[in-house]
Amino acid sequence: QVQLVESGGGLVQPGGSLRLSCAQSGSIYSAYLMGWYRQAPGKQRELVARIASGGSTDCADSVKGRFTISRGSRGGAENMVWLQMNSLKPEDTAVYYCNVVDWSGNAYWGRGTQVTVSS
């Protein structure tokens, strides 16, 4: 069974930074895709950024130049993904979800972590 646990959300002032972490436990040794999505109140869930097993990345235009995604290992398996968020704006306020896709195309989601950007 695959579990994803996000951490690192919180309240930050505009222009500030946060670093989100996602720890994956379970049967996926090295996922095909690892990424972050977000959902603001009244809006659909949207892709923020994702990183493939080979290291290539993809991100939303709204976060280019501000957010950086990376992935790494802990305990031998490549099971961590991070999202460094800089120059945060109020419109970045949302619940951020970790997403992992395995090589069979199965998608897994974390429960989400709240990010609030407000003065």
Side-chain angles (χ1 to χ4, degrees):
Q1 185 176 358
V2 176
Q3 287 187 324
L4 304 177
V5 179
E6 303 101 334
S7 61
L11 173 64
V12 63
Q13 292 186 341
S17 298
L18 284 174
R19 187 178 191 235
L20 303 183
S21 299
C22 175
Q24 180 250 125
S25 62
S27 59
I28 301 176
Y29 180 78
S30 179
Y32 169 52
L33 281 173
M34 303 181 79
W36 292 92
Y37 287 71
R38 67 186 180 187
Q39 187 167 17
K43 295 188 177 181
Q44 289 189 333
R45 191 173 297 189
E46 63 176 1
L47 172 69
V48 177
R50 60 189 174 187
I51 182 167
S53 61
S56 60
T57 61
D58 180 27
C59 68
D61 288 341
S62 59
V63 306
K64 281 182 180 177
R66 301 189 297 123
F67 292 10
T68 302
I69 189 170
S70 58
R71 60 190 285 174
S73 302
R74 186 178 67 180
E78 191 178 38
N79 54 8
M80 297 291 298
V81 61
W82 299 275
L83 185 68
Q84 178 65 44
M85 306 186 294
N86 299 327
S87 302
L88 282 160
K89 304 176 180 180
E91 51 264 43
D92 295 317
T93 295
V95 178
Y96 284 69
Y97 296 91
C98 179
N99 170 261
V100 167
V101 180
D102 65 20
W103 289 93
S104 296
N106 300 307
Y108 304 89
W109 294 91
R111 291 189 173 186
T113 185
Q114 177 70 46
V115 171
T116 302
V117 185
S118 175
S119 55

